[in-house]
Amino acid sequence: MEKCSNKYSKPRCEEIVRFIKNEYNRKKIPLHEPRLLGREMEYLWRCIDTGYVSSVGEFVVDVEKDIASYTGAKYAVAMCSGTAALHMALMCAGVKADDEVITQPLSFVATANAISYLGASPIFVDVDMETMGMSPKSLSDFLDLHCVKRYGKCYNKHTNKHISACVPMHTFGMVCQIDEIAQICQSWGIMLIEDAAEGIGSKYKDIHCGRFGLAGVFSFNGNKVITSGGGGMLITDDEALAKRAKHLSTTAKIPHLYEYDHDEIGYNYRMPNLNAALLKAQIENLDLCLMSKRRQAERYAKFFETMGIKFINEPIECNSNYWLMGIILEDRSKRDELLEFANDNDVMMRPAWKLLSQLKMYKNCMKDSNQNAKYLVDRIVCLPSGVLS
Ligand SMILES: Cc1ncc(COP(=O)(O)O)c(C=O)c1O
């Protein structure tokens, strides 16, 4: 591919890269890096000092309480990754092998993988152009066209399989039209599990994402707004689901002072205390990080407006955490020109993910036209979005 050879594009690529270098004032600018500016060292040292570096410890209990209280959920269960939390959420909600689960094509691969771990198949319905998350209209159209309700449950007319759950995702921290999706799921007898991996701190109509269905999950991977190094969290208001998620993700061990007895096949999905210590310190600075990202988003929005480029702003009724900020360019070739120029010049930018419905292992799954997702994936460029101190 020719590198920004076009007379119109090259100065534009240069101007964008110059602006970002000026903002971040660094030689090499990553897409998103952790900001470890609070009590991280103190809490990590406490783990080392007490020897509680592994799968039990005060910080695990603390972060579960902190996230429950921050999001307003009744229960939170810490795990070793967002993927593990999504797997457990679906399993504890009762998704079974041979079920079908509706999700969106524009997402990170973990969304579909967690469905597949259970032997269920994903169905990909299109995203909305504004929110980039699942489109309530596409969901509703798909259900009306392909599904029937029998004894309160939703079945696919073509495969005769039970569609047990729906997993919308809050893309880059923008919350999708989740209340409409929740209503549609309710009327069809489908369980709603939110993949809010990217959404800590994001709200819809003042309610934290992850709280609109049976359960929601967050990721605290190193590239997220706040991090535990690696980790995830399931939130729910359902006591039985929370208890089962805790039990299954901690090897299904029956609590006992010294005996090892397990009552089913469990998973070692525990969040180590070391990771929880890091997360505790990060949660203490979450609101500061959110403020800093919002200011960054405002500066980006102003700059791109002057260039006549569409900056991805939070949709109406959504208060976004602006996890990954991005722009929408004219077409795929303009996208690739900027990606190539920026990455060549030490400013990391990336496209959105290859659509899940086009990945080798999911390309034969059922889907609608996915036309909005295709349009967006050709045009989105994610910009450096790290928290400035
Ligand atoms: C949409 C989405 N779902 C799930 C995950 C999985 O989270 P983790 O990397 O913590 O397993 C991620 C991110 O990393 C994600 O972006």
Side-chain angles (χ1 to χ4, degrees):
M1 188 185 67
E2 260 193 333
K3 285 187 197 168
C4 281
S5 55
N6 177 326
K7 279 198 190 92
Y8 158 69
S9 299
K10 189 168 179 214
R12 195 164 79 146
C13 293
E14 280 172 353
E15 202 178 335
I16 295 171
V17 162
R18 205 176 316 117
F19 176 80
I20 295 173
K21 283 197 166 166
N22 204 30
E23 283 293 295
Y24 282 91
N25 200 15
R26 297 256 304 264
K27 216 170 166 308
K28 250 188 144 112
I29 302 166
L31 196 69
H32 207 298
E33 63 181 346
R35 298 299 289 167
L36 308 165
L37 297 171
R39 298 172 79 181
E40 285 84 356
M41 283 290 257
E42 179 191 331
Y43 294 160
L44 286 170
W45 176 247
R46 208 187 292 168
C47 295
I48 292 163
D49 202 33
T50 58
Y52 281 95
V53 294
S54 194
S55 43
V56 287
E58 56 169 332
F59 290 116
V60 179
V61 182
D62 276 3
V63 293
E64 287 178 339
K65 281 192 193 137
D66 290 348
I67 292 293
S69 122
Y70 190 85
T71 57
K74 282 196 182 145
Y75 309 98
V77 183
M79 295 192 208
C80 60
S81 70
T83 311
L86 194 53
H87 181 198
M88 288 296 96
L90 290 164
M91 181 179 263
C92 296
V95 172
K96 302 266 182 307
D98 276 338
D99 282 359
E100 291 177 337
V101 174
I102 299 178
T103 188
Q104 62 192 60
L106 187 67
S107 188
F108 179 59
V109 69
T111 315
N113 286 350
I115 296 166
S116 306
Y117 296 162
L118 292 161
S121 306
I123 292 175
F124 300 104
V125 305
D126 207 1
V127 295
D128 176 80
M129 285 291 274
E130 286 306 308
T131 67
M132 301 174 296
M134 185 178 285
S135 149
K137 176 156 187 341
S138 301
L139 175 64
S140 188
D141 288 350
F142 179 89
L143 292 167
D144 288 343
L145 198 62
H146 300 291
C147 301
V148 282
K149 202 170 165 188
R150 283 190 227 122
Y151 306 108
K153 290 179 171 181
C154 177
Y155 289 86
N156 184 326
K157 279 196 274 197
H158 311 283
T159 60
N160 218 16
K161 290 188 175 181
H162 177 208
I163 298 181
S164 50
C166 174
V167 185
M169 195 278 278
H170 303 303
T171 308
F172 305 143
M174 308 286 168
V175 187
C176 64
Q177 289 149 284
I178 191 67
D179 57 350
E180 266 189 67
I181 291 173
Q183 272 169 24
I184 298 166
C185 288
Q186 198 181 21
S187 73
W188 278 89
I190 297 171
M191 290 175 295
L192 174 61
I193 307 288
E194 289 172 73
D195 183 344
E198 305 173 357
I200 192 69
S202 295
K203 291 180 178 168
Y204 185 75
K205 296 185 180 170
D206 237 21
I207 297 172
H208 202 289
C209 65
R211 297 216 49 233
F212 290 82
L214 187 55
V217 304
F218 303 109
S219 165
F220 298 112
N221 188 34
N223 62 349
K224 298 298 185 292
V225 176
I226 54 168
T227 185
S228 54
M233 190 87 64
L234 177 158
I235 59 166
T236 182
D237 285 349
D238 185 309
E239 186 180 0
L241 190 146
K243 278 192 174 149
R244 185 152 166 72
K246 189 71 179 172
H247 186 60
L248 274 181
S249 63
T250 55
T251 71
K253 185 178 183 297
I254 300 170
H256 192 280
L257 200 53
Y258 49 85
E259 296 275 11
Y260 280 92
D261 192 3
H262 306 259
D263 58 4
E264 57 186 310
I265 299 172
Y267 297 80
N268 182 4
Y269 278 172
R270 296 170 290 192
M271 177 186 280
N273 200 44
L274 267 178
N275 298 84
L278 199 68
L279 183 58
K280 169 109 184 133
Q282 291 267 290
I283 294 170
E284 289 171 357
N285 278 322
L286 174 55
D287 286 335
L288 276 178
C289 290
L290 293 173
M291 263 156 51
S292 159
K293 287 175 79 69
R294 181 161 287 273
R295 282 198 300 268
Q296 180 66 54
E298 282 162 9
R299 284 196 299 275
Y300 269 142
K302 241 191 211 158
F303 169 73
F304 285 108
E305 199 183 344
T306 63
M307 297 200 74
I309 293 175
K310 183 176 163 48
F311 176 74
I312 305 173
N313 266 311
E314 60 195 356
I316 16 169
E317 318 253 41
C318 161
N319 195 277
S320 174
N321 64 5
Y322 282 105
W323 169 53
L324 266 195
M325 298 173 226
I327 49 177
I328 300 187
L329 294 178
E330 297 90 319
D331 54 33
R332 197 178 181 104
S333 76
K334 291 279 183 294
R335 179 198 83 166
D336 291 345
E337 278 174 6
L338 179 59
L339 285 173
E340 183 132 337
F341 184 87
N343 285 292
D344 267 359
N345 285 281
D346 293 331
V347 175
M348 191 178 169
M349 294 190 194
R350 53 156 250 206
W353 315 270
K354 179 171 178 175
L355 294 184
L356 300 182
S357 49
Q358 291 171 349
L359 294 180
K360 195 169 86 182
M361 53 290 191
Y362 297 121
K363 70 178 190 310
N364 295 325
C365 292
M366 204 165 169
K367 54 182 172 286
D368 63 13
S369 72
N370 286 191
Q371 65 177 22
N372 293 344
K374 286 179 190 158
Y375 179 94
L376 288 168
V377 92
D378 276 347
R379 290 164 177 81
I380 289 173
V381 173
C382 294
L383 307 165
S385 305
V387 175
L388 282 163
S389 38

